[in-house]
Amino acid sequence: MSAARENRVLVFARVAPTSSPERCLISVSDSSLELRRGAPHAPRRYAFDGAFWPEATQCDVFRAVAQPLVDDVLAGWNATCLAYGQTGRCVAGRAWR
């Protein structure tokens, strides 16, 4: 059963590549991210319903996050997909925002 039918909020994270040597993505699992903020800091793990590496494509994210909601809407359920953060990406020469 999907999230729309369960009446619950799901949280997914997609990590953007970082150019800062102080911030380091250590690992991504199906449901968590492990990050290190500089050498003296211990790694921290953050839990989500799903997590994506920076290399994940828009299609990967759509299929995992939004497609189940679209299917539920077409079946008559209510659903909302809210994106927070830097969501603009250049796709085929066009910036989507």
Side-chain angles (χ1 to χ4, degrees), residues 13-96:
R14 181 179 186 188
V15 180
T18 179
S19 60
S20 171
E22 294 181 6
R23 294 189 181 190
C24 177
L25 176 65
I26 296 173
S27 68
V28 175
S29 71
D30 288 341
S31 61
S32 68
L33 303 172
E34 190 170 345
L35 303 171
R36 181 186 306 269
R37 290 188 56 180
H41 300 285
R44 294 187 64 153
R45 182 172 296 276
Y46 300 91
F48 301 95
D49 292 295
F52 300 92
W53 280 100
E55 295 82 17
T57 66
Q58 291 290 89
C59 287
D60 295 336
V61 176
F62 176 81
R63 285 186 188 120
V65 177
Q67 186 65 59
L69 298 178
V70 171
D71 294 341
D72 284 345
V73 167
L74 293 175
W77 295 90
N78 293 324
T80 300
C81 183
L82 173 69
Y84 177 79
Q86 296 179 350
T87 58
R89 294 290 241 213
C90 185
V91 178
R94 182 173 174 189
W96 297 93

